[in-house]
Amino acid sequence: MPSKPLPPITMDAVYAAPGYLFRRMQQIAVSIFMEECKAFDLTPVQYAALIAIHTHPGIDATRLSAVIAFDRSTLGSVIERLQAKDYIERKPAPEDKRIKLLYLTKSGAAILREIIPVVERAQARMLEPLKPADRKALMGLLVQLVDLNNEASRVPLRAEDALERLGKAG
Amino acid sequence: MPSKPLPPITMDAVYAAPGYLFRRMQQIAVSIFMEECKAFDLTPVQYAALIAIHTHPGIDATRLSAVIAFDRSTLGSVIERLQAKDYIERKPAPEDKRIKLLYLTKSGAAILREIIPVVERAQARMLEPLKPADRKALMGLLVQLVDLNNEASRVPLRAEDALERLGKAG
DNA sequence: TGTTAATTGACAGTATACTCACGATCTAGG
DNA sequence: CCTAGATCGTGAGTATACTGTCAATTAACA
C-alpha cells in the first residue's frame, strides 16, 4: 500500500500564515531600526532596556526583564554590553546582597536624548506603506492581540507587578 | 548650564510602538508554535524549510533562503540540523559542483504529514483571542505591510525569482 | 529558631538572525 | 581560450531568545 500523499501545500499558504507574517514583520522592523540607528551602535533590545532603566532608575535585572517582556538569561548579556559601552552602571543593593541595581550614566542619558527622535522615525517608517487609517487599525488590533496573548508567551509582560515590587523595596 | 532633560518617556509609549509590538507578537507566536509542536522537535524555521523543500524538490540553499525570506548564513545550520534528523538529504548537482540539491526524505514527508494539522492549530491559536472579523482584518493589513516593506528587509522575499531560476536550471 | 522554599544573578547549551570574508566554481567578455 | 566578475556554500563573529542548572542569599513558616 502506498503511503498517503501529503496534502497539497503551497508556499502561498505559508505566506498567509500568522506565524510567518509575524516573523517577517519582526525581521523588517529590526532591519529598519538598525538602518535608521546605524550611527548609534544600539540594538532594538538595548534601546528598550535603556528606556526602561531611564523610566525606572534602580531597577534590578529580573524586574527589568518583566517590564520589557524580555528573557532574563539573555538580559544578562544585554546589560553587560550596555555597561561596556558606559551607558548604564550597576550598584549592589545595600539591603539585598543578591541584587544589583541599574542606573543610566550621563553617556546613557545623552545617547537616549539623541536617539529617541531617530527611533521614532524608524517606528513611523515601519508603518509608512499603509494608509493612516490602516496604521491605526493595525496598531489597535496588535495591542489587543499582544495583550490578550500575554500569558501565552514564555516571558509575559509584568509591568505592574514589577512596579509594585519596586515601590515596596525602595 | 544644566544638560537638557530627557523628554518625558513612558513605558506605555514603548508598549504602543510598532517595533515593540512586532517583537512581542513574534515571541508569542514562537511560544505557541513550540508548545503545540513539542512532540515533534521542529522549530518554526525548520518547519518552513521543510514545506519549501517539499514544494520545490531539488531546490538549493540559496534559492531556499529567498523562498522563505531567510538569511543564507543561518540557513546552513538549519539544513544541517534537518539533515541530522534525517528529514532531508542533499545531493550534489551534476551540472554545477558548487550546488547541493535538497530533497525530503521519507521521514521528512512523514513528519510533515503529521505536523501540518498541529501547526494549523498553532496558527489558529495565535489569532484566537480576536473576533473573527478582526482576525481577517489583521491578516489583511499584515499581508499588505509585509509585501510593501519587502525591500526594507535585509533578506527580501524572492519567491518568483527563485522559481524562475529553478526552472531555468533544472 | 531552624529548615525549607523562593529569589537573584550567573553559566552552559541550543537555535535563530545578521555581518563580513573566503575558496571553489561557474559564466561572460574580449 | 582566458581572465574578470558573479555565485555557491561555508566559516567566524556578534546579538538575540530560549532551555536548563547552580550557588548565594533571602524570606516564610513550623
Side-chain angles (χ1 to χ4, degrees), chain A residues 23-164:
Chain A
R23 173 175 76 81
R24 193 89 185 86
M25 202 52 234
Q26 155 74 358
Q27 221 175 17
I28 290 166
V30 171
S31 221
I32 291 175
F33 183 103
M34 295 304 280
E35 195 181 312
E36 289 287 341
C37 300
K38 61 172 175 282
F40 292 94
D41 187 31
L42 260 198
T43 66
V45 170
Q46 289 168 16
Y47 171 76
L50 280 189
I51 292 282
I53 294 171
H54 165 64
T55 310
H56 308 303
I59 197 171
D60 63 279
T62 297
R63 256 155 292 281
L64 178 59
S65 84
V67 161
I68 57 181
F70 194 85
D71 179 70
R72 213 175 50 170
S73 294
T74 315
L75 195 55
S77 52
V78 174
I79 287 173
E80 257 178 35
R81 281 184 279 275
L82 287 175
Q83 199 172 11
K85 291 176 195 168
D86 192 38
Y87 293 154
I88 64 173
E89 51 183 352
R90 314 179 75 173
K91 296 180 184 170
E95 77 280 3
D96 190 334
K97 288 173 196 164
R98 296 169 302 178
I99 293 179
K100 295 176 185 171
L101 306 178
L102 301 170
Y103 298 92
L104 278 194
T105 61
K106 274 189 183 159
S107 282
I111 196 152
L112 213 45
R113 195 158 37 239
E114 281 183 70
I115 205 177
I116 281 175
V118 179
V119 170
E120 269 164 21
R121 193 154 57 241
Q123 302 283 1
R125 260 190 65 195
M126 296 173 196
L127 301 180
E128 207 165 57
L130 292 182
K131 287 178 298 203
D134 285 348
R135 290 173 208 162
K136 262 196 160 176
L138 177 59
M139 286 302 99
L141 290 169
L142 265 186
V143 166
Q144 259 189 76
L145 189 56
V146 165
D147 183 51
L148 294 168
N149 266 330
N150 191 36
E151 297 307 317
S153 90
R154 308 287 175 102
V155 191
L157 177 66
R158 299 275 186 232
E160 296 77 20
D161 285 21
L163 279 175
E164 274 169 29

